[in-house]
Amino acid sequence: MDYEEILDMVVTELTERSFQQQRTEDEQLDQLVKRRVELSEKVKQSTAGLDAETRKILSEYSGVVGKINERESKYIYLQGAKDCVRLLKALEVI
């Protein structure tokens, strides 16, 4: 396993922990996540009658949106860490 893979695993774990903590601290967000789960099931039921190609397109769209969200979250997490270090250097703390 190379450095990038290890870093990716660490960032993934830390962001997941942060999301869980955020849901614990933010009841509205927790409710939104639960609602998304409910709606996801309704979408599956609603699209069951569609032709296979349309279902495939909708499924791929959902997957791409999820992957984009995951990558953006990791980027923002790392950027926040970099900004923190930059701030600490500017304040001559480190």
Side-chain angles (χ1 to χ4, degrees), residues 39-54:
L39 290 171
S40 176
E41 188 56 39
K42 288 182 180 185
V43 166
K44 286 179 186 177
Q45 294 170 358
S46 298
T47 60
L50 298 174
D51 63 277
E53 181 64 23
T54 302

Side-chain angles (χ1 to χ4, degrees), residues 26-92:
D26 185 342
E27 180 64 28
Q28 288 181 325
L29 175 63
D30 188 54
Q31 292 303 315
L32 286 170
V33 171
K34 289 175 181 174
R35 181 67 178 145
R36 181 184 63 192
V37 171
E38 293 171 4
L39 290 171
S40 176
E41 188 56 39
K42 288 182 180 185
V43 166
K44 286 179 186 177
Q45 294 170 358
S46 298
T47 60
L50 298 174
D51 63 277
E53 181 64 23
T54 302
R55 283 194 315 272
K56 180 181 173 188
I57 290 169
L58 290 172
S59 178
E60 183 178 353
Y61 172 78
S62 179
V64 168
V65 168
K67 287 178 183 178
I68 290 169
N69 186 44
E70 181 182 338
R71 290 184 73 162
E72 287 176 336
S73 295
K74 287 180 181 180
Y75 180 86
I76 290 169
Y77 183 89
L78 288 173
Q79 188 58 49
K82 291 175 186 177
D83 291 344
C84 180
V85 170
R86 190 174 298 135
L87 175 62
L88 292 172
K89 283 182 178 180
L91 296 172
E92 298 179 352

